[in-house]
């Protein structure tokens, strides 16, 4: 260990001594600060300022939060300053640091943003800037208004968000001119452990006899003779405040008062999860493949709906626990139903921690802490559960691995499947991917021998896959049937009502999904250059391709059949519920973003449907997954075409996956299931494949088409979204980035755009985007990072890079 020059917070040089150096990543979200800063570890913090610690450090005239990512005996720099305080003791290790670096590099994000993934939920401290008005008011606007707001006590972060988005540079100029003074304040985590005050009687207290007139003391000791109790409960029980009396008793050592951690428990109703006495051949093959797999390997369970993949997961976890290893099970947020979580809790009890966004911040923190302390060895949760601090991780399972929700929508825009593969390789664990409709990229990697695929073609219990009827809604319209429910759908609903059964109806709608459709022939305008549907923009009255920017006016009549019946496609669940109530007497449970937004809304809706002897569950895509009700014999798809016409090259694949998944909800019990799919495009390969339960021809053609167009998995895509309040500035910056990308692009890489994004304005921000296509080995992350870093920033303009995007809207 070498001698270093120490400096105090003021910068004054201190005596040279032998101290360690900490490499600290500053918690400031800019790619320009992704390299660590060196700080001296003072002797008093030598035991806690270790890798994984969250620290407070000086940075110029201010202070900043930082993450210790390494330690050294020396530094290339002189005049180093000291770490001021350890705010949170080590919460991640060196492996997590390397994973975070890789996430940041591959997703073109600041390293600090990636480091936050490994922190306790809601448990990160912040440094908040405060500005105070001083001197006289400036003469010009907007500075005068800012000065008045600062004088009124409005915090810096509110100033930056408000008043049209004041830029930091404006505040800096006002500070330089003496109109404002800035200070920095540490805000400690608002979420953390919760302690409760308990009291219990001591041996001396048990033998003590209070004076005859000490009635309150006698009542307290009598109550405590039954065992320890919370002080608030003791007060409630006796009907008076006991604080003073307890303090006097504690001073006489007659009672002991102490704090005990209160866990904000996650209440999940237990669900039946009996062990399958006899595994199917597919289940046996899958379990054997997992047990024989090498550490760092990936096993793909390709099993039809109802094939018993969950039982395979449960038994694989049992094997991990027997080896003293922990497990993480990722489930799409939409599928985290009480059924799914309850099965794991029933099998493994308190060893299961649950993590998802519908929990309170305190509940998420306590579950994370249980895992960190080794009290829970199994984590079941959504995408972010991948970063839980599981002790001795041995197995990671990603159920429904094809789901797009495994792709993070904000920086860092990682995909859980990719990070999980890196995680198991680094930790010496195994990765299991499961789906009835695996991602095409996953199947391609299995075909190349990189990953191992295990087929599970039969359902547990011998039940058969449902019969699927495809209804041509254009023909229904032609024959005079104008209802949104086809005649086949109405017949099947009548049958279910007569049998006192249950049905699930899917309204295939995804937020922004506007396209023009001919109701007579099913024609949808598409871009001839990109083979994707044109999106209708209400404000401009234009059909626009959001890949290449092509725009045209919508036709007055159908170019195919000359019909005047052209309409913008889309309907809401409330309207469907109203029309459904007019054709059936069965109770209807609506399940969409509106009805499940509150805490417990998801669970309450499913509980109502489960409690009904007969009924209909109506919803968006959340009803397509995670549900296992043997009494459901009918699944109806109101409009199969919505995802089919999304402006995305994956639209066919996603339509097939959704239809196959929702169809799998039918016929899981003793009775055969029936599926009715309503569509204006009955001949589309994805619908034919879903109806026949045979994806091979569709996937073969889909792969051939993607290879010809150099789309994933044969090529790579990246996207850059530029947004801001001023469209001209957004367009200008998008042009600068496009020029920089074109200049830096290597052979085989093509830059498309810029042009308006499909959702061209969101929350008052204009949005333009660019697409970058490259070969499968192209370093698109490096290209985007270099191009974006070379472009000067424009105040008020945000740049969002996305490598391997799943959302092109």
């Amino acid at each position: 260990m070498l001698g270093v020059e120490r400096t105090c917070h003021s910068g004054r040089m201190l005596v040279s001594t032998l101290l360690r150096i900490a490499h600290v990543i500053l918690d400031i979200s800019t790619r320009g600060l992704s390299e660590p800063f060196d700080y001296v570890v003072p002797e008093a913090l030598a035991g806690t300022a270790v890798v994984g610690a969250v620290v407070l450090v000086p940075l110029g005239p201010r202070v900043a939060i930082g993450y210790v990512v390494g330690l050294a005996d020396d530094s290339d720099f002189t005049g180093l300053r000291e770490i001021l305080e350890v705010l949170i003791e080590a919460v991640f290790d060196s492996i997590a640091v390397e994973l975070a670096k890789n996430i940041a590099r591959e997703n073109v994000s600041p390293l600090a943003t990636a480091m936050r993934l490994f922190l306790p939920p809601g448990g990160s401290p912040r440094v908040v800037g405060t500005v105070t008005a001083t001197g006289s008011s400036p003469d010009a606007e907007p500075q005068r208004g800012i000065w008045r707001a600062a004088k009124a006590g409005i915090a810096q972060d509110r100033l930056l968000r408000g008043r049209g988005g004041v830029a930091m540079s404006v505040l800096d100029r006002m500070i330089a001119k003496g109109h404002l003074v800035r200070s920095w304040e540490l805000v400690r985590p608002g979420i953390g452990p919760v302690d409760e005050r308990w009291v219990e009687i001591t041996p001396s207290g048990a033998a003590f006899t209070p004076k005859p007139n000490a009635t309150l003391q006698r009542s307290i000791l009598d109550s405590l003779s039954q065992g320890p109790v919370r002080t608030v409960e003791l007060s409630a029980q006796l009907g008076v405040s006991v604080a003073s009396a307890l303090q006097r008793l504690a001073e006489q050592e007659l009672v002991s008062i102490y704090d005990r951690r209160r866990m904000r428990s996650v209440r999940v109703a237990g669900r039946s999860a009996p062990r399958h006495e006899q595994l199917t051949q597919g289940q046996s093959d899958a379990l054997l493949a997992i047990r024989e797999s090498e550490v760092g390997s990936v096993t793909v369970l390709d099993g039809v709906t109802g094939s018993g993949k969950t039982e395979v997961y449960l038994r694989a976890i049992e094997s991990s626990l027997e080896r003293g290893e922990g497990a993480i099970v990722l489930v799409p947020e939409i599928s985290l139903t009480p059924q799914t979580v309850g099965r794991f809790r029933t099998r493994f009890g308190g060893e299961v921690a649950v993590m998802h966004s519908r929990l309170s911040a305190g509940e998420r923190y306590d579950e994370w802490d249980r895992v960190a302390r080794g009290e829970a060895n199994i984590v079941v949760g959504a995408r972010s559960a991948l970063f839980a601090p599981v002790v001795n991780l041995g197995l990671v399972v990603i159920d429904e691995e094809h789901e797009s929700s495994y792709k993070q929508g904000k920086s860092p825009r990682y995909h859980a499947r990719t990070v999980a593969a890196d995680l198991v390789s680094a930790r010496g664990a195994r990765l299991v991917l499961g789906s009835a409709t695996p991602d095409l990229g996953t199947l391609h990697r299995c075909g190349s021998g990189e990953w191992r695929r295990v087929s599970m073609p039969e359902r547990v219990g011998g039940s058969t896959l449902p019969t699927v009827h495809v209804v041509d809604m254009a023909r229904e319209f032609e024959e005079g049937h104008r209802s949104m429910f086809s005649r086949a759908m109405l017949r099947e609903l009548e049958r279910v009502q007569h049998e006192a059964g249950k049905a699930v109806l899917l309204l295939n709608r995804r937020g922004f999904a506007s396209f023009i459709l001919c109701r007579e022939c099913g024609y949808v305008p598409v871009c001839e250059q990109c083979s994707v549907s044109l999106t209708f923009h209400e404000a401009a009255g234009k059909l626009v391709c959001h890949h290449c920017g092509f725009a045209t006016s919508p036709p007055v009549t159908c170019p195919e059949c000359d019909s005047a019946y052209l309409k913008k496609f889309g309907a809401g669940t409330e309207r469907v519920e109203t029309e459904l109530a007019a054709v059936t007497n069965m109770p209807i449970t609506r399940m969409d973003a509106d009805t499940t937004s509150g805490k417990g809304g998801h669970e309450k809706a499913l509980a109502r449907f489960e409690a009904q002897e007969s009924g209909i569950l109506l919803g968006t895509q959340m009803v397509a997954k995670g549900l296992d009700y043997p009494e459901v014999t009918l699944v109806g798809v109101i409009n199969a075409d919505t995802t089919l016409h999304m402006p995305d090259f994956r639209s066919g694949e996603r339509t097939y996956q959704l239809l196959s998944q929702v169809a799998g909800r039918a016929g899981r019990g003793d009775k055969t299931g029936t599926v009715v799919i309503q569509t204006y495009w009955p001949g589309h390969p994805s619908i034919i494949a879903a109806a026949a339960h045979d994806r091979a021809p569709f996937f073969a053609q889909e792969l051939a088409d993607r290879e010809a167009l150099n789309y994933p998995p044969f090529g790579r895509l990246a996207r850059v979204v530029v947004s801001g309040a001023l469209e001209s500035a957004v367009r200008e910056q998008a042009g600068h980035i496009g020029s920089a990308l074109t200049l830096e692009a290597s052979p085989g890489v093509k830059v498309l755009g810029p042009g308006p994004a499909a959702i061209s304005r969101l929350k008052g921000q204009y949005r333009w985007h660019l697409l970058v296509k490259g070969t499968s080995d192209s370093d698109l992350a490096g290209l985007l990072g270099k191009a974006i870093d070379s472009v000067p920033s424009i105040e008020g303009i945000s740049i969002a890079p996305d490598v391997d995007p799943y959302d092109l809207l």
Side-chain angles (χ1 to χ4, degrees):
M1 193 178 295
L2 300 179
V4 298
E5 295 177 324
R6 296 176 61 199
T7 58
C8 66
H9 182 43
S10 65
R12 182 173 58 85
M13 193 69 64
L14 300 178
V15 180
S16 178
T17 185
L18 298 178
L19 292 173
R20 298 210 75 183
I21 305 300
H23 303 313
V24 178
I25 291 294
L26 299 179
D27 187 29
I28 299 175
S29 295
T30 172
R31 278 172 45 81
L33 293 178
S34 285
E35 292 298 320
F37 283 54
D38 284 0
Y39 287 90
V40 173
V41 178
E43 294 176 21
L45 302 181
T48 54
V50 297
V51 173
V54 182
V55 296
L56 184 69
V57 295
L59 179 66
R62 57 169 288 186
V63 292
I65 304 298
Y67 310 115
V68 179
V69 297
L71 295 171
D73 294 333
D74 203 354
S75 173
D76 295 333
F77 306 97
T78 59
L80 300 182
R81 303 170 77 177
E82 287 188 344
I83 292 175
L84 302 175
E85 183 181 351
V86 173
L87 302 173
I88 303 177
E89 295 192 8
V91 289
F92 54 81
D93 59 12
S94 57
I95 292 178
V97 172
E98 293 306 311
L99 286 169
K101 288 179 179 178
N102 196 52
I103 290 170
R105 181 173 55 252
E106 294 301 318
N107 295 282
V108 200
S109 73
L111 181 52
T113 307
M115 294 301 310
R116 292 183 202 132
L117 297 170
F118 296 89
L119 298 182
S124 179
R126 297 179 298 121
V127 169
V128 177
T130 302
V131 288
T132 305
T134 185
S136 59
S137 170
D139 295 329
E141 292 289 356
Q143 287 85 350
R144 183 186 302 166
I146 297 169
W147 186 88
R148 290 172 179 165
K151 197 164 186 69
I154 296 178
Q156 175 178 297
D157 60 341
R158 286 185 59 194
L159 283 172
L160 293 172
R161 289 197 304 268
R163 304 194 63 83
V166 175
M168 180 71 80
S169 59
V170 176
L171 296 183
D172 289 340
R173 287 195 295 270
M174 294 181 68
I175 290 168
K177 292 180 179 180
H179 296 302
L180 299 175
V181 175
R182 177 188 287 133
S183 59
W184 300 92
E185 178 185 358
L186 173 65
V187 179
R188 297 185 183 273
I191 304 299
V194 174
D195 290 330
E196 292 180 322
R197 180 138 296 194
W198 284 69
V199 59
E200 64 179 335
I201 196 168
T202 65
S204 299
F208 177 74
T209 302
K211 294 179 180 179
N213 62 343
T215 55
L216 181 56
Q217 283 190 354
R218 182 177 292 104
S219 298
I220 290 173
L221 294 175
D222 286 346
S223 296
L224 294 181
S225 66
Q226 305 300 314
V229 66
R230 292 188 302 157
T231 57
V232 292
E233 291 178 345
L234 184 61
S235 291
Q237 178 184 338
L238 300 180
V240 295
S241 173
V242 297
S244 299
L246 286 177
Q247 187 61 41
R248 289 192 295 272
L249 290 171
E251 290 170 356
Q252 300 175 60
E253 298 184 351
L254 301 177
V255 300
S256 174
I257 303 173
Y258 55 91
D259 290 333
R260 181 188 294 181
R261 173 80 176 271
R262 175 172 68 85
M263 302 302 292
R264 290 155 286 199
S265 60
V266 179
R267 293 179 177 82
V268 178
R271 300 289 167 136
S272 176
R275 291 178 64 85
H276 294 189
E277 295 299 328
Q278 183 67 43
L279 297 180
T280 66
Q281 186 62 51
Q283 287 177 310
S284 297
D285 292 344
L287 196 56
L288 181 62
I290 295 169
R291 288 171 175 168
E292 292 181 346
S293 63
E294 298 179 355
V295 294
S297 65
V298 181
T299 304
V300 179
L301 307 190
D302 183 3
V304 299
T305 54
S307 59
K309 293 184 288 296
T310 301
E311 179 64 26
V312 175
Y313 303 154
L314 292 168
R315 295 205 184 193
I317 292 170
E318 287 176 348
S319 297
S320 289
L321 294 179
E322 289 171 0
R323 295 191 298 268
E325 298 171 344
I328 296 173
V329 181
L330 298 190
V331 183
E333 184 89 33
I334 203 171
S335 299
L336 270 169
T337 64
Q339 281 192 331
T340 304
V341 177
R343 284 176 184 145
F344 287 90
R345 278 275 172 91
T346 300
R347 188 71 64 92
F348 300 112
E351 288 196 79
V352 177
V354 181
M355 294 183 183
H356 57 79
S357 65
R358 292 195 296 273
L359 302 180
S360 70
E363 288 170 337
R364 288 198 301 273
Y365 178 89
D366 282 351
E367 290 293 273
W368 184 95
D369 198 39
R370 285 206 307 127
V371 176
R373 290 186 292 164
E375 295 177 5
N377 299 308
I378 304 164
V379 177
V380 178
R383 182 182 59 237
S384 61
L386 186 61
F387 304 100
V390 176
V391 178
N392 195 23
L393 181 66
L395 180 70
V396 176
V397 175
I398 302 183
D399 191 32
E400 309 289 6
E401 66 86 30
H402 66 279
E403 268 291 313
S404 60
S405 61
Y406 286 126
K407 173 76 171 181
Q408 170 110 324
K410 62 182 180 180
S411 182
R413 293 173 175 81
Y414 67 90
H415 196 292
R417 185 173 52 223
T418 303
V419 176
D422 292 339
L423 174 65
V424 298
S425 179
R427 298 285 184 193
R430 296 165 176 82
L431 175 60
V432 175
L433 307 177
S435 177
T437 55
D439 181 84
L440 261 177
T442 297
L443 292 176
H444 183 69
R445 297 177 86 161
C446 292
S448 68
E450 183 179 356
W451 294 346
R452 180 177 179 182
R453 171 182 170 271
V454 181
S455 177
M456 300 174 63
E458 68 269 273
R459 279 185 156 186
V460 171
S463 62
T464 59
L465 291 170
T467 302
V468 181
H469 302 288
V470 177
V471 178
D472 184 349
M473 293 301 284
R475 177 170 294 180
E476 289 278 307
F477 183 82
E478 182 182 307
E479 295 176 357
H481 188 73
R482 300 293 196 265
S483 170
M484 70 167 60
F485 305 112
S486 64
R487 288 166 290 188
M489 184 82 78
L490 293 173
R491 283 195 301 270
E492 289 299 324
L493 286 170
E494 186 178 353
R495 173 187 63 78
V496 172
Q497 180 172 321
H498 177 73
E499 296 175 354
K502 290 184 177 180
V504 172
L505 296 188
L506 167 71
L507 178 63
N508 184 13
R509 178 171 182 166
R510 298 187 60 172
F512 186 89
S514 299
F515 60 92
I516 299 294
L517 178 139
C518 173
R519 289 208 65 182
E520 290 211 22
C521 73
Y523 166 79
V524 172
V526 298
C527 176
E528 295 180 358
Q529 299 181 68
C530 301
S531 298
V532 296
S533 61
L534 297 175
T535 302
F536 181 66
H537 280 242
E538 189 84 50
K542 294 285 187 181
L543 292 170
V544 181
C545 173
H546 296 292
H547 283 245
C548 69
F550 169 76
T552 185
S553 298
V556 177
T557 60
C558 176
E560 295 291 328
C561 70
D562 206 34
S563 169
Y565 291 102
L566 294 173
K567 67 172 291 185
K568 187 175 72 174
F569 203 75
T573 48
E574 287 186 82
R575 178 188 162 195
V576 176
E577 181 183 22
T578 299
E579 298 209 13
L580 188 59
V583 298
T584 180
N585 294 323
M586 286 187 288
I588 302 167
T589 301
R590 181 161 63 91
M591 195 169 171
D592 55 21
D594 293 333
T595 60
T596 62
S597 58
K599 184 175 175 61
H602 203 96
E603 291 81 357
K604 291 173 184 175
L606 290 175
R608 283 197 304 273
F609 178 66
E610 187 174 351
Q612 295 164 356
E613 291 186 10
S614 175
I616 299 172
L617 180 64
L618 166 68
T620 51
Q621 294 186 40
M622 61 181 67
V623 305
K625 308 168 188 72
L627 306 181
D628 186 0
Y629 296 115
E631 60 270 27
V632 172
T633 59
L634 171 64
V635 165
V637 180
I638 306 297
N639 51 344
D641 299 350
T642 306
T643 48
L644 202 56
H645 294 300
M646 296 289 281
D648 190 327
F649 71 92
R650 293 187 180 92
S651 61
E653 178 187 3
R654 288 178 173 173
T655 298
Y656 163 76
Q657 289 167 339
L658 180 62
L659 295 180
S660 294
Q661 290 284 342
V662 73
R665 304 308 108 198
R668 288 178 167 238
D670 298 332
K671 296 181 179 180
T672 303
T674 300
V675 180
V676 177
I677 297 176
Q678 299 183 163
T679 175
Y680 284 90
W681 200 344
H684 192 279
S686 66
I687 293 177
I688 293 173
H693 304 296
D694 181 11
R695 70 183 184 218
F698 167 55
F699 273 17
Q701 185 59 54
E702 188 77 4
L703 284 170
D705 291 344
R706 292 194 192 180
E707 186 171 21
L709 295 169
N710 198 34
Y711 278 129
F714 303 98
R716 296 192 72 189
L717 276 181
R719 184 185 189 219
V720 180
V721 177
V722 183
S723 59
L726 189 62
E727 186 173 20
S728 59
V730 171
R731 183 171 59 246
E732 177 187 352
Q733 188 71 312
H736 292 329
I737 294 172
S739 298
L741 287 169
T742 302
L743 182 65
E744 298 284 351
S746 58
V749 175
K750 186 177 181 181
V751 180
L752 304 175
I759 304 178
S760 59
R761 197 176 187 196
L762 184 65
K763 297 179 180 179
Q765 300 286 295
Y766 290 95
R767 305 170 74 247
W768 280 54
H769 73 162
L770 305 98
L771 287 178
V772 182
K773 291 177 69 174
T775 58
S776 58
D777 59 352
S778 296
D779 180 16
L780 297 189
L783 170 62
L784 263 61
K786 187 180 295 185
I788 292 171
D789 290 345
S790 71
V791 174
S793 61
I794 297 178
E795 287 186 6
I797 300 300
S798 298
I799 302 172
D802 189 358
V803 181
D804 302 321
Y806 268 58
D807 180 4
L808 298 177
L809 297 181

